[in-house]
Structures are given as C-alpha cells and as structure tokens.
Amino acid sequence: RKEVEQDPGPFNVPEGATVAFNCTYSNSASQSFFWYRQDCRKEPKLLMSVYSSGNEDGRFTAQLNRASQYISLLIRDSKLSDSATYLCVVNRYSGNTGKLIFGQGTTLQVKP
Amino acid sequence: EAGVAQSPRYKIIEKRQSVAFWCNPISGHATLYWYQQILGQGPKLLIQFQNNGVVDDSQLPKDRFSAERLKGVDSTLKIQPAKLEDSAVYLCASSLDPQTSGGWTEQYFGPGTRLTVT
C-alpha cells in the first residue's frame, strides 16, 4: 500500500463547477500536510498548507482529518487555468527534519 | 530572485551508459534535494543534503546512483550504468534549513531534467 494515496482521475469538469479531491495517508507519524500543483511538464509548486481547522485561500479550501488520516481539497468556481495535476503531500518527521512524501497526483481538466 | 537551475533539460541515452545532472539551488538555501518522478507518479525523494552532508539517502539506488554537493552549493547526480527503468524526470529542489523551522520549510523545485533511456 502506498503511503499517500490519491484517485488519479482524470476529473473532467466544466468551467464554474465545484470539484473535490481526496487523499489518504497511512503513516500516523506524518505531521504536516500540503497540496502542490503541477502543470504539464512543469515542476511542482506549493498550492497551500493543510490544517486541522481547515483553511481557505480564495476559491480553494483544504481540510485535514487526523483521526481518519484523510486530506481534501475543494475548488469552487473552476477556471480553465485550474487545469493541472494536484499532488497531496505529507511531511513525515524523522529526528529534527522532515521528508516529503508525495501522492501520485490527481489530474483536473476544466473545459469551457 | 533566481530560482533553482538545472541542466541539461533533456537527455537521451542508451542503457548501460552513464549520465550526470547538475543543480544550482537558490542562493542561501542550505538544504538540497534530488527527486525522481516517473510518468504518472509523484516525485520520490532520492537524496537530501544539508550543506555538503547527506541527511537522507535511504531511497537512492546506491549500486548505480551517486550524488555529491562538495562545496555545499551546487550538486550533481550521476547514474552509472543507466537502466530502462531510470527513464524519468529528475527534479532538484532547495529550501532553507528545515531543522530551524520545526521540520519543514517550503521546497522550491527546479524545472527538472527529463531522462529517456533506450
């Protein structure tokens, strides 16, 4: 079983739709959580951190459920420019440093 | 501010040949990472340097992969000899020292080197 699991999709949605991505992680030693965005043939870039209380950044809302080891990302009012692969990432601490573990990514295609 | 630089951007080699990749991190970033990203998968950490010392190389296939960061700045990753399954994008990332920030600071990725082994 992979340490971080995501539905690879693709998710094909029309502009303006709301779409949700889910992610589960298996290692309870994971201490911090993130969503990264990766455009086709580009490098990953940090989209947002994920907190237990839930956090919002414009049209994006991230949520963490530590008890269920579950992370989500909600995108409202999808734009064409949101088309990308969204990577769920956990930071597993070891000693006094961390190691990022990436999921395989969920591909989103927003269509006009 | 200049980002993480990598070269070459693309490389095609035959199996059993050798290849080397170069990375120049963001100025002032003490920590440097090499990741391997196979098509359809997320990046996988190969090796992490703190200045010129290795912090984590547990997933580096040491029989064929090697990496160094001699002066604590630039780094090279070498594969010798290459196998077909090494075809992937090799991403370099850098960050400030995570040990001074509770175990995490944002990692900034370079554009990657796309390796094809035939």
Side-chain angles (χ1 to χ4, degrees):
Chain A
R1 183 187 174 191
K2 294 179 182 176
E3 189 167 342
V4 179
E5 298 216 52
Q6 296 181 250
D7 179 350
F11 284 61
N12 295 300
V13 303
E15 271 188 292
T18 295
V19 61
F21 305 139
N22 303 318
C23 167
T24 58
Y25 61 96
S26 60
N27 193 323
S28 57
S30 301
Q31 294 292 333
S32 48
F33 309 88
F34 311 93
W35 284 99
Y36 274 68
R37 171 186 169 135
Q38 187 170 26
D39 292 305
C40 187
R41 292 183 169 264
K42 298 287 189 180
E43 69 272 22
K45 292 184 179 179
L46 178 65
L47 178 66
M48 58 196 304
S49 301
V50 188
Y51 305 114
S52 297
S53 54
N55 49 301
E56 190 173 305
D57 182 1
R59 298 179 294 106
F60 298 80
T61 301
Q63 194 79 44
L64 165 66
N65 184 320
R66 286 187 183 270
S68 302
Q69 296 184 183
Y70 173 94
I71 305 161
S72 65
L73 177 68
L74 183 76
I75 305 175
R76 291 180 301 278
D77 189 22
S78 299
K79 311 291 185 190
L80 295 175
S81 56
D82 294 334
S83 297
T85 295
Y86 292 83
L87 297 160
C88 177
V89 187
V90 305
N91 187 34
R92 173 155 50 84
Y93 288 177
S94 176
N96 56 359
T97 191
K99 177 176 180 176
L100 293 186
I101 310 296
F102 287 79
Q104 71 177 104
T106 298
T107 299
L108 172 65
Q109 185 68 45
V110 181
K111 299 188 180 298
Chain B
E1 180 183 282
V4 176
Q6 289 189 247
S7 67
R9 293 294 310 277
Y10 304 91
K11 190 75 178 178
I12 301 173
I13 62 171
E14 295 182 352
K15 59 184 178 184
R16 292 187 288 275
Q17 285 187 324
S18 302
V19 65
F21 312 129
W22 173 81
C23 173
N24 181 238
I26 292 172
S27 177
H29 280 189
T31 310
L32 185 146
Y33 314 79
W34 282 102
Y35 289 86
Q36 179 192 59
Q37 186 172 23
I38 293 172
L39 187 65
Q41 298 182 20
K44 181 183 81 171
L45 180 68
L46 293 176
I47 189 167
Q48 177 181 342
F49 290 97
Q50 183 65 27
N51 296 308
N52 60 350
V54 175
V55 173
D56 183 347
D57 63 356
S58 58
Q59 297 193 94
L60 187 74
K62 299 180 186 65
D63 58 332
R64 297 184 301 106
F65 286 63
S66 64
E68 60 183 14
R69 192 183 185 201
L70 292 176
K71 296 182 180 179
V73 181
D74 294 5
S75 176
T76 56
L77 176 70
K78 297 179 182 178
I79 307 175
Q80 180 179 6
K83 293 185 175 181
L84 296 176
E85 59 261 36
D86 298 332
S87 294
V89 176
Y90 290 85
L91 293 161
C92 179
S94 71
S95 74
L96 297 171
D97 182 359
Q99 296 182 43
T100 63
S101 306
W104 183 82
T105 59
E106 183 174 352
Q107 294 183 22
Y108 296 85
F109 286 82
T113 296
R114 186 173 299 273
L115 174 67
T116 302
V117 182
T118 62

